[in-house]
Amino acid sequence: MDKETFKKYGYELVDWIADYFSDVERYPVKATVKPGEIKTKLPWNPPLEGEPLEAVIKDFKDIILPGITHWQHPSWFAYFPANNSPPSVLAELLTAGLGVQCMVWQTSPAAAELEEVVMDWLRDMIGLPQGMAGVIQDTASTATLCALLTAREVFTRFESNEKGFREPLRVYASQEAHSSVEKGVKAAGYGKENLSYIPTDGNYAMIPTMLEKAVVEDKERGFQPACVVASLGTTSTTAVDPLEQIAEICRRHGLWLHVDAAYAGTAALLEEKRDMLRGMEQVDSFVFNPHKWMLTNFDCSAYFVKDPELLVRTFDISPEYLKTGFDDQVKNYRDWGVQLGRRFRALKLWFVIRTYGVKGLQDMVREHLRLAQLFKGWIKEESRFELMAPVNFSLVCFRFNDGFHSEEELNRINHELLERINASGRVFLSHTSLKGRYVLRMSIGQRTTEERHVRQAWELIRREADQLFQEKFRGCCTGD
Ligand SMILES: *Cc1c(COP(=O)(O)O)cnc(C)c1O
């Protein structure tokens, strides 16, 4: 592609993205295509001769776009947000344009040093202890795997790396912990049987006395407790494990403490949300995702460690072809995680923090928290609906419950209610299961979500509930 063609389509696509940002509301939030539908529209074989970009862009619009679920839609209330933002997208374009590999300092000194600086900024922005050092990982899953691998090495005196894993080590997480903990435990060789799930209280937070009981019992049985994963903001309900008490148990028993704050870490931008970080001095590693709620497009996961030496010793490799003359003066992030090749992710984080400012990001989080409280108020006012978990951040867990149905029927009704709400294409909510109950999750955190979107969603939910109820009442479920 020549320079002029690149410019022509470059401008065209930037225009397209700008329009997408302003018009995304016009699309159905959740793709309505059927399984296999997109595939049938794509050729079996790649083209032998190159095609004009024009044709590819046309197919993008005609074939691909209808199969896209619009995460940047202001009525995105499913899962958690995965926000982008205009400055982040522009930085991503530059990153692609530069096409650098950030594996060691000399493969792009500015990338390595910018990563160090923005991670220090980020640490201070959310109030983590001064001594912690950060590195950008692709996802929280990878960061948690790094934590589990480091804990494994620390507890086997770095012998697992040399000889393989022998003695069984135990890992603890709450019953509400994210599935990435189980995945990490399997991948790091602990074995799923050595992951001990600790019961949670009425608010779905880990019960510290149950943690200590499990640790003591494991020791008595001759097992070696190694690592605790505490969740600040669980995926189901955003429950907050009591970090201070868990940290104290880890200190007493000499355990590695990893904190998964993938979504809720962003809330710590606000002083008033930092209570959850009490006990952080004792924490060995911490992860949160700017790619969820902090306007930095996927992927960008911030991993902080108390002792980078231990992390680097876990991953250190120095083949001859990667040695440089500066290795003792600089950070070579290749040794701070699993991957060798690394994207220049610090650039988009820097663009976002500089253009929004700490205050701009705080304002966004505060607004989302306000909207969640508003929605929670509506749920509490309506007798047919029931709040199902504390609203700690910007997620509201609720269900339809008019008091006339069994738990089993309620599960079926709420499942159908969610299907209908989402089939409207106007909003997208997801669900979870709490103590066997089917629960709807209203997750508010998209960059462009305003009060009117939350209000429209609430009206739609009530309307669908009315309709569902009437149809059931008439003993008819096909509709007219
Ligand atoms: C989203 C989430 C994760 C996984 O994040 P990835 O970056 O997609 O790996 C882990 N833990 C919690 C609590 C989450 O909400």
Side-chain angles (χ1 to χ4, degrees):
M1 181 179 293
D2 62 40
K3 185 173 170 181
E4 288 313 313
T5 313
F6 177 79
K7 279 191 182 184
K8 176 174 182 289
Y9 290 107
Y11 294 137
E12 188 181 310
L13 289 181
V14 167
D15 282 344
W16 189 88
I17 296 171
D19 289 341
Y20 180 72
F21 281 154
S22 60
D23 300 343
V24 60
E25 231 172 304
R26 292 218 298 260
Y27 296 91
V29 192
K30 184 169 174 274
T32 51
V33 294
K34 308 217 161 28
E37 194 177 323
I38 303 294
K39 271 199 293 192
T40 61
K41 295 181 181 156
L42 297 168
W44 286 90
N45 299 306
L48 193 57
E49 306 286 345
E51 299 176 70
L53 193 60
E54 181 112 34
V56 185
I57 293 173
K58 182 174 183 308
D59 284 352
F60 163 75
K61 291 176 185 168
D62 296 347
I63 301 173
I64 304 301
L65 205 52
I68 291 292
T69 290
H70 298 280
W71 286 69
Q72 308 309 318
H73 195 296
S75 297
W76 175 269
F77 302 117
Y79 310 108
F80 282 133
N83 288 337
N84 68 10
S85 61
S88 174
V89 170
L90 292 176
E92 192 73 284
L93 186 61
L94 281 179
T95 295
L98 291 172
V100 296
Q101 274 290 349
C102 309
M103 44 201 192
V104 294
W105 179 84
Q106 77 169 12
T107 59
S108 257
E113 294 184 18
L114 184 64
E115 182 159 343
E116 195 173 333
V117 169
V118 289
M119 290 306 276
D120 282 355
W121 285 6
L122 205 51
R123 173 196 64 206
D124 297 345
M125 282 164 64
I126 62 167
L128 297 183
Q130 278 301 306
M132 290 190 112
V135 55
I136 304 179
Q137 304 280 357
D138 53 4
T139 60
S141 305
T142 301
T144 294
L145 173 62
C146 289
L148 289 163
L149 287 167
T150 311
R152 185 193 77 184
E153 287 313 299
V154 167
F155 279 86
T156 58
R157 294 159 300 280
F158 292 89
E159 279 184 8
S160 296
N161 269 346
E162 298 299 322
K163 301 178 181 158
F165 206 2
R166 294 188 190 158
E167 32 182 330
L169 298 175
R170 302 282 286 173
V171 177
Y172 308 84
S174 97
Q175 281 168 342
E176 294 290 320
H178 189 263
S179 54
S180 56
V181 178
E182 180 187 316
K183 203 186 249 186
V185 161
K186 290 196 282 192
Y190 288 86
K192 198 171 134 185
E193 283 180 6
N194 287 308
L195 173 56
S196 171
Y197 285 112
I198 308 301
T200 55
D201 62 18
N203 293 331
Y204 304 101
M206 187 193 285
I207 303 172
T209 51
M210 299 297 268
L211 169 65
E212 184 146 41
K213 186 162 165 276
V215 169
V216 169
E217 281 175 7
D218 278 348
K219 279 184 171 173
E220 282 167 5
R221 290 192 302 165
F223 291 133
Q224 166 78 68
C227 179
V228 176
V229 181
S231 309
L232 301 182
T234 57
T235 311
S236 257
T237 70
T238 68
V240 176
D241 289 345
L243 189 61
E244 201 171 18
Q245 294 167 61
I246 293 170
E248 179 52 30
I249 293 166
C250 289
R251 196 193 57 74
R252 262 204 303 278
H253 295 276
L255 305 180
W256 185 277
L257 177 52
H258 174 62
V259 171
D260 175 2
Y263 147 82
T266 300
L269 286 168
L270 306 179
E271 290 269 356
E272 65 265 30
K273 283 286 167 191
R274 289 199 192 150
D275 276 1
M276 63 177 173
L277 295 180
R278 245 184 269 143
M280 265 307 295
E281 315 69 46
Q282 184 64 36
V283 168
D284 295 287
S285 51
F286 177 99
V287 63
F288 94 99
N289 285 345
H291 72 223
K292 272 188 170 150
W293 198 11
M294 220 188 85
L295 305 183
T296 311
N297 65 283
F298 192 87
D299 51 355
C300 182
S301 188
Y303 182 51
F304 293 94
V305 293
K306 186 155 73 179
D307 186 350
E309 271 301 308
L310 297 175
L311 179 66
V312 170
R313 236 183 115 184
T314 299
F315 291 109
D316 181 39
I317 41 150
S318 15
E320 192 53 39
Y321 53 84
L322 286 176
K323 286 190 181 133
T324 73
F326 316 99
D327 290 348
D328 50 351
Q329 300 163 50
V330 297
K331 288 197 167 125
N332 290 321
Y333 285 113
R334 118 198 129 197
D335 292 331
W336 290 59
V338 176
Q339 339 170 250
L340 171 62
R342 304 176 71 250
R343 283 158 36 66
F344 186 6
R345 300 188 191 92
L347 194 67
K348 58 188 174 184
L349 199 49
W350 190 52
F351 268 48
V352 166
I353 297 171
R354 287 193 60 186
T355 54
Y356 283 90
V358 176
K359 197 171 162 305
L361 296 169
Q362 287 171 330
D363 289 347
M364 175 201 66
V365 170
R366 232 179 240 119
E367 174 64 1
H368 290 151
L369 298 180
R370 184 187 75 81
L371 293 175
Q373 287 303 321
L374 191 68
F375 189 85
K376 169 187 155 182
W378 296 337
I379 295 286
K380 290 185 82 167
E381 274 166 29
E382 267 264 3
S383 57
R384 294 180 304 161
F385 285 89
E386 186 182 11
L387 194 66
M388 299 302 284
V391 180
N392 294 323
F393 305 98
S394 65
L395 172 74
V396 185
C397 292
F398 69 101
R399 69 170 177 174
F400 174 86
N401 182 1
D402 58 2
F404 294 107
H405 295 87
S406 69
E407 285 297 334
E408 211 171 298
E409 285 169 329
L410 283 177
N411 282 353
R412 234 173 316 138
I413 292 170
N414 279 285
H415 178 80
E416 191 169 342
L417 177 60
L418 181 66
E419 303 241 299
R420 288 174 178 224
I421 292 166
N422 288 340
S424 75
R426 298 187 38 216
V427 298
F428 185 18
L429 277 70
S430 55
H431 78 281
T432 187
S433 173
L434 298 173
K435 299 194 161 76
R437 293 168 179 161
Y438 191 95
V439 173
L440 277 61
R441 292 169 78 265
M442 174 85 179
S443 157
I444 301 168
Q446 215 294 318
R447 174 174 60 90
T448 53
T449 301
E450 296 170 21
E451 187 172 323
R452 67 186 167 98
H453 301 107
V454 179
R455 210 173 273 282
Q456 279 162 11
W458 177 228
E459 280 160 17
L460 178 74
I461 292 164
R462 278 160 59 201
R463 209 162 45 238
E464 293 294 345
D466 284 343
Q467 196 136 29
L468 184 67
F469 187 75
Q470 275 170 19
E471 284 172 20
K472 288 256 181 283
F473 201 64
R474 291 200 312 253
C476 148
C477 26
T478 49
D480 306 310

